[in-house]
């Protein structure tokens, strides 16, 4: 394993055991240098270890910590059993500085791991596990044969591994293990990362370097980093990975590439991570030699059945297909006059004999449809409720446009009771400042998951829609568009690791609090010292609202630069399609600003349940945070603060910049309490964020002022440059652009 054990001991082993005669001083010097390098490596904090650093408990905190136990009693017959034991060993060695012994029976204080089948010591807990499902686990401190033990018990090996990670989290965050009684099972069945990785190694909307998958050297070379990727996912309970971009290349389904996917599946399997693939709907034409991809054509149906058989022969636990069809130029069933349900069912029928699922995306809109883009997915899919096979999940983005800093929840949530809906969140920050802006997405995810759709009366939260409990679906799913690349930090920045982490934790339990998750992450990633945890968590919790303020306050949306989406572009107009411009969304002119989605406008509000729709439609009741999403208002509209809308808008832009300055000040105060390497990196990125927040604020204010001709509100500083300057800025090499 690459980083978790420092590489330096190997260097020492490479030295000759005895010094060549007459060369004693050089030998001692070499040993001293190797030891120095070793000490340096052990301290290196480059972010690779993520939240699994396992540093000695008292190295990060002055809080009392009681070492719970020493030895491990665990089965080792299966690969998952072995990785569970190894992870616990690694954690205990790092946290407690001990080398746990492997024992066959508790003979002193010990950790007892296993399932009722794999361990006679766990068998007595069998009844306690009944309600926990195949991935759940029990953590309990108890006594066995008079000996104090901590039991990690589950019905299946994977539950034991998840339990070990939970136990290590408790130890890393300083929780006592004396009266441990934890029962956990996931609320959502398919907890999946979506990689938008192309076969040439480019990551669409990726800000953390190139793809982690080295398709060129697979399947023969399996980079050890693939194991650490699987470990990190397992530590959160993420149990699936869609390897390739939804803008899919049909070649990923060719035999050569399936063998590469098979190699990754083999690496991931012990960690409970199943492989999925994005399927290009036209693959039968492109790699199958057929003349059509019509879902009702028998040859096409046979081709997909054969393809599924081939995949499962290589990857017996293959998860299934993710499909983007008839969206943004991708092929799909509508090319043949068929519906999305007919398209999805074609693939579902091929996968069904093997237990696979189809995740069919609802991110569908067409430029030739004059309807408000925010309404199109609902219009397309709501009438198909009940038309999908039982192994189809409809994957819906959190909001109706596209991963904006703030959107209302998607109106499809709650509107298709006969279809399991998967949530699609974006972890990579396409619209939130890429990897350089510190924006913790936990509050965004929490806001959406806890939103009440009122679909079956009050309490019909989005979380209940996607975990299947609202409408009684056993099949359920949640997907996160990954922010992972080959950057040493994995995610392009230290704080973006928190977004992978928060996604995973909420995928397991969508009712957790974003603040609690942040507190765990900070304690594991930086320090358990409350003097660090409290200010960093406060900073993280405020960071999303800061970004909303300096980018898209008061419900503005889709006002970024064209194509790469880097920086402001409220002036973006023209081009191939209206709904790829900013002016389409903000509708600002001399008199006012905002998109009227009430019944006087596009009537998008009517796609929500009546209670919700009435609130959104009423300018007095709609949350101010969504005001301009749903309403077009005059610049002098009076806000709750008493300010006119124009003044409030400028106030919020400025407030966003000030919030970033406050984040900088917080971080500066932590110098010396956080390791210097990561402190420097974060501080540099905060400087970039401060600069870009100001850029967003000034460019946006200059643009809107050019339309309304209003003076700057009292006390507000005018933009640093004229509008023409901001419009002239070009970034041809901004990362992550679609291509
Ligand atoms: C993968 C947005 C992004 C595209 C992305 C698309 C999608 O439009 O800008 O890069 O394509 O969403 O989710 O399919």
């Amino acid at each position: 394993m690459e980083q978790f054990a420092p590489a330096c001991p190997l260097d020492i082993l490479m030295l000759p055991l005895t010094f060549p005669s007459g060369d004693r001083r050089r030998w001692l010097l070499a040993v001293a240098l190797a030891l120095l390098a070793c000490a340096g490596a052990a301290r290196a904090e480059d972010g690779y270890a993520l939240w699994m650093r396992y540093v000695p408990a008292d190295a990060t905190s002055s809080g009392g910590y009681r070492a719970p136990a020493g030895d491990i009693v665990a089965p080792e017959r299966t690969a998952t059993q072995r990785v569970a034991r190894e992870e616990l060993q690694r954690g205990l060695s790092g946290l407690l500085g001990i080398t746990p012994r492997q024992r066959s029976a508790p003979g002193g204080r010990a950790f007892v791991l296993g399932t009722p089948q794999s361990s006679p010591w766990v068998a007595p807990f069998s009844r306690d596990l009944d309600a926990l499902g195949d991935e759940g686990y029990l953590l309990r401190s108890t006594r066995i044969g008079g000996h104090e033990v901590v039991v990690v018990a589950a019905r299946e090996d994977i539950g034991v591994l998840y339990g070990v990670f939970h136990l290590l989290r408790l130890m890393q965050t300083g929780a006592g293990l004396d009266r441990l009684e934890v029962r956990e099972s996931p609320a959502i069945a398919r907890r999946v990362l979506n990689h938008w990785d192309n076969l040439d190694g480019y990551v669409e909307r990726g800000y953390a370097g190139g793809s982690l998958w080295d398709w060129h050297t697979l399947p023969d070379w399996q980079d050890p980093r693939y194991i650490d990727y699987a470990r990190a996912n397992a530590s959160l309970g993420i149990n699936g990975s869609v390897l390739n971009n939804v803008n899919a290349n049909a070649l990923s389904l060719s035999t050569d590439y399936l063998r590469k996917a098979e190699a990754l599946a083999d690496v991931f399997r012990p960690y409970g991570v199943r492989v999925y693939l994005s399927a290009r709907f036209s693959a039968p034409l492109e790699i199958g030699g057929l003349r059509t991809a019509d879902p009702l054509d028998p040859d096409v149906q046979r081709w997909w059945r054969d393809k599924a058989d081939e995949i499962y022969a290589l990857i017996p636990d293959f998860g299934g297909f993710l499909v983007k069809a008839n969206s943004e130029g991708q092929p799909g069933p509508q090319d043949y006059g068929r519906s999305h349900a007919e398209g999805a069912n074609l693939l579902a029928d091929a996968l069904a004999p093997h237990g696979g699922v189809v995740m069919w995306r609802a991110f569908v809109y067409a430029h030739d449809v004059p309807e408000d883009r925010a309404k199109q997915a609902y219009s397309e899919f709501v009438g198909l409720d009940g038309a999908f096979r039982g192994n189809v999940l409809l994957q819906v983005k959190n909001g109706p446009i596209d991963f904006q800093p703030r959107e209302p929840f998607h109106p499809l949530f709650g509107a298709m009771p006969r279809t399991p809906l998967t949530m699609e969140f974006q972890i990579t920050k396409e619209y939130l400042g890429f990897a350089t802006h510190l924006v913790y997405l936990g509050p965004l995810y929490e806001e959406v998951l806890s939103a009440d759709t009122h679909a079956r009366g009050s309490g019909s939260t989005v979380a209940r829609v996607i975990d299947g409990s609202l409408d009684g679906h056993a099949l359920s799913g949640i997907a996160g568009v990954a922010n992972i690349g080959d950057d040493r930090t994995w995610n392009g920045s230290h704080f973006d690791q928190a977004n992978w982490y928060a996604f995973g934790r909420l995928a397991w339990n969508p009712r957790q609090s974003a603040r609690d998750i942040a507190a765990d992450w900070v304690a594991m990633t930086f320090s358990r010292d409350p003097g660090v945890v409290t200010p960093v968590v406060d900073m993280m919790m405020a960071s999303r609202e800061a970004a909303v303020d300096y980018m898209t306050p008061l419900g503005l949306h889709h006002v970024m630069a064209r194509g790469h989406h880097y920086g402001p572009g409220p002036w973006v107009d023209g081009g191939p399609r209206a709904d790829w411009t900013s002016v389409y969304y903000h509708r600002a002119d001399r008199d006012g600003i905002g998109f009227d989605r009430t019944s006087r406008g596009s009537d998008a509000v009517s796609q929500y349940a009546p209670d919700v729709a009435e609130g959104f439609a009423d300018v007095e009741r709609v949350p101010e945070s969504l005001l301009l999403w749903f309403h077009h208002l005059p610049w002098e509209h009076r806000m709750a603060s008493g300010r006119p809308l124009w003044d409030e808008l400028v106030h919020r832009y400025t407030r966003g910049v000030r919030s970033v300055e406050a984040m900088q000040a917080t971080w500066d105060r932590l110098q010396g309490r956080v390791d210097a390497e990561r402190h420097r990196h974060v501080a540099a990125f905060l400087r970039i964020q401060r600069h870009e927040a100001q850029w967003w604020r000034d460019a946006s204010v200059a643009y809107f002022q050019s339309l309304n001709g209003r003076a700057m509100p009292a006390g507000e500083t005018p933009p640093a440059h004229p509008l023409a300057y901001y419009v002239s800025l070009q970034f041809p090499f901004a990362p992550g652009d679609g291509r």
Side-chain angles (χ1 to χ4, degrees):
M1 197 121 323
E2 206 187 336
Q3 161 69 19
F4 298 99
C8 53
L10 287 179
D11 301 339
I12 293 176
L13 289 177
M14 303 296 274
L15 292 169
L17 282 179
T18 51
F19 57 89
S21 58
D23 215 0
R24 180 160 195 256
R25 285 204 356 239
R26 277 180 55 198
W27 185 83
L28 283 173
L29 184 65
V31 171
L33 285 174
L35 285 170
L36 268 177
C38 182
R43 278 200 313 271
E45 290 284 12
D46 59 9
Y48 184 88
L50 294 162
W51 45 88
M52 298 174 293
R53 291 161 63 244
Y54 304 142
V55 294
D58 54 5
T60 59
S61 163
S62 54
Y65 185 86
R66 206 165 91 76
D71 296 340
I72 299 178
V73 182
E76 293 193 281
R77 281 184 296 280
T78 69
T80 302
Q81 288 169 4
R82 283 191 290 277
V83 299
R85 184 186 58 75
E86 283 163 16
E87 193 68 36
L88 186 57
Q89 269 181 332
R90 178 186 292 120
L92 295 179
S93 313
L95 285 160
L96 306 180
I98 59 169
T99 310
R101 284 169 303 169
Q102 165 76 353
R103 303 177 68 103
S104 54
R109 291 158 64 85
F111 292 96
V112 175
L113 273 49
T115 68
Q117 293 73 35
S118 69
S119 165
W121 311 107
V122 172
F125 301 94
S126 183
R127 293 271 299 280
D128 295 297
L129 306 176
D130 282 349
L132 298 180
D134 287 348
E135 294 179 297
Y137 53 85
L138 166 74
L139 308 181
R140 180 177 288 169
S141 41
T142 181
R143 299 182 84 82
I144 296 182
H147 303 291
E148 268 187 68
V149 295
V150 172
V151 174
V152 181
R155 276 179 24 184
E156 300 292 338
D157 290 344
I158 189 63
V160 177
L161 179 62
Y162 291 158
V164 162
F165 276 116
H166 190 140
L167 183 68
L168 289 169
R169 170 169 24 113
L170 294 175
M171 296 175 72
Q172 287 169 281
T173 54
L177 302 185
D178 285 348
R179 279 183 294 280
L180 195 60
E181 178 71 26
V182 174
R183 291 156 186 274
E184 280 283 337
S185 50
I188 298 173
R190 308 263 174 164
R191 307 175 297 278
V192 179
L193 288 182
N194 290 185
H195 289 268
W196 287 356
D197 294 16
N198 293 343
L199 299 184
D200 63 1
Y202 183 83
V203 182
E204 182 161 346
R205 310 307 176 186
Y207 312 104
S211 175
L212 211 52
W213 324 132
D214 187 349
W215 293 109
H216 187 63
T217 54
L218 282 165
D220 300 310
W221 165 242
Q222 290 144 32
D223 189 329
R225 199 162 177 175
Y226 303 153
I227 298 176
D228 288 337
Y229 165 85
R231 283 182 59 228
N233 282 325
S235 78
L236 305 171
I238 291 173
N239 65 3
S241 175
V242 185
L243 301 177
N244 59 320
N245 192 351
V246 288
N247 291 331
N249 188 318
L251 278 181
S252 62
L253 297 177
S254 67
T255 303
D256 280 354
Y257 276 91
L258 290 177
R259 290 198 184 286
K260 296 169 191 282
E262 176 195 14
L264 288 173
D266 289 345
V267 174
F268 299 167
R269 190 165 295 114
Y271 299 90
V273 179
R274 292 165 128 197
V275 154
Y276 296 67
L277 290 171
S278 291
R280 186 161 166 88
F281 199 78
S282 52
L285 285 165
E286 291 168 37
I287 60 168
L290 301 189
R291 279 186 309 194
T292 177
D294 183 348
L296 301 193
D297 183 286
D299 289 338
V300 172
Q301 292 168 353
R302 190 171 316 107
W303 188 87
W304 282 107
R305 275 200 306 274
D306 291 349
K307 188 50 73 181
D309 293 348
E310 182 189 358
I311 293 173
Y312 280 92
L314 296 170
I315 310 172
D317 56 353
F318 180 68
F321 293 136
L322 171 66
V323 187
K324 173 175 178 178
N326 292 122
S327 167
E328 299 187 333
Q330 295 300 308
Q334 292 179 330
D335 302 346
Y336 305 94
R338 315 298 183 196
S339 72
H340 279 278
E342 286 169 316
N345 292 345
L346 163 76
L347 305 184
D349 288 343
L351 295 170
H354 308 283
V357 300
V358 174
M359 292 168 160
W360 192 266
R361 294 178 86 227
F363 180 67
V364 167
Y365 63 100
H367 70 290
D368 47 4
V369 178
E371 193 179 37
D372 173 5
R373 175 172 156 189
K375 294 179 71 179
Q376 292 183 33
Y378 179 102
S379 304
E380 185 75 53
F381 283 97
V382 81
L384 295 176
D385 193 23
F388 293 97
R389 297 281 191 267
N391 58 336
V392 176
L393 293 136
L394 189 65
Q395 184 161 311
V396 182
K397 288 190 180 182
N398 60 273
I401 297 292
D402 193 13
F403 301 134
Q404 297 302 295
R406 172 167 278 118
E407 299 194 29
F409 67 85
H410 201 297
L412 277 173
F413 292 116
M416 296 184 66
R418 296 163 69 196
T419 310
L421 300 192
T422 295
M423 167 65 72
E424 181 176 316
F425 281 128
Q426 198 173 45
I427 310 173
T428 189
K429 303 204 314 296
E430 174 181 355
Y431 298 102
L432 284 132
F434 298 1
T436 31
H437 292 209
L438 193 167
V439 182
Y440 172 51
L441 297 177
L444 187 161
Y445 300 157
E446 186 178 42
E447 178 177 295
V448 177
L449 291 166
S450 63
D452 194 344
T453 69
H454 284 263
R456 301 318 147 253
S458 134
S460 308
T461 60
V462 172
R464 292 192 61 211
V465 174
I466 63 161
D467 72 11
S469 63
L470 188 67
D471 296 309
H473 295 294
L475 186 58
S476 56
I478 183 165
V481 179
N483 62 348
I484 297 163
D486 63 6
D487 185 77
R488 187 72 187 159
T489 63
W490 297 88
N491 306 120
S493 77
H494 296 293
F495 273 90
D496 272 298
Q497 298 179 349
N499 293 329
W500 180 7
Y501 184 83
F503 168 77
R505 291 285 302 275
L506 286 165
W508 181 274
N509 176 2
R511 288 166 190 81
Q512 289 178 99
S513 110
R515 177 175 284 277
D516 291 350
I517 292 171
D520 283 349
W521 178 80
V522 175
M524 291 191 280
T525 306
F526 283 111
S527 169
R528 274 173 44 201
D529 178 350
V532 174
V533 175
T534 305
V536 175
V537 169
D538 286 347
M539 176 175 90
M540 290 168 72
M541 291 302 293
S543 63
R544 185 275 187 128
E545 210 56 48
V548 169
D549 274 347
Y550 63 73
M551 290 180 173
T552 55
L554 295 173
L556 287 177
H557 50 288
H558 209 291
V559 288
M560 63 288 150
R562 196 195 293 278
H564 50 61
H565 301 164
Y566 172 60
W571 47 82
V572 169
D573 196 0
R577 39 194 301 175
D579 55 9
W580 284 357
T581 68
S582 302
V583 297
Y584 173 90
Y585 295 98
H586 62 63
R587 307 201 167 202
D589 59 16
R590 181 172 182 76
D591 303 320
I593 182 170
F595 198 133
D596 185 356
R597 293 192 165 108
T598 69
S599 56
R600 291 178 303 278
S602 78
D603 201 24
V605 290
S606 66
Q607 294 183 334
Y608 292 92
D611 282 354
V612 178
E614 281 162 25
F616 285 160
D618 183 347
V619 76
E620 300 301 326
R621 286 164 59 205
V622 66
E624 279 196 344
S625 59
L626 291 173
L627 186 68
L628 302 178
W629 185 286
F630 287 112
H631 297 270
H632 184 87
L633 294 168
W635 291 109
E636 52 277 354
H637 172 81
R638 189 66 49 187
M639 301 291 293
S641 62
R643 298 183 190 98
L645 172 56
W646 165 242
D647 293 29
E648 182 72 24
L649 192 69
V650 178
H651 167 75
R652 298 226 180 181
Y653 279 123
T654 307
R655 188 173 76 179
V657 181
R658 297 288 163 265
S659 301
V660 179
E661 287 166 355
M663 284 157 61
Q664 284 184 294
T666 299
W667 192 251
D668 286 350
R669 281 195 293 275
L670 293 171
Q671 192 163 18
R673 302 184 87 155
V674 167
D675 56 279
E677 194 173 350
R678 288 184 297 172
H679 191 275
R680 204 169 40 246
H681 195 262
V682 172
F685 275 24
L686 281 170
R687 280 195 296 278
I688 297 173
Q689 184 174 7
R690 162 69 183 76
H691 173 77
E692 294 186 355
Q694 186 76 51
W695 169 33
W696 265 95
R697 181 255 186 210
D698 284 357
S700 307
V701 169
Y703 171 72
F704 291 124
Q705 205 177 19
S706 77
L707 300 179
N708 65 19
R710 289 175 177 255
M712 286 301 285
E716 291 286 356
T717 315
H721 302 279
L723 175 61
Y725 165 79
Y726 299 109
V727 176
S728 74
L729 298 175
Q730 300 289 322
F731 303 95
F733 305 114
D737 201 355
R739 62 178 197 188

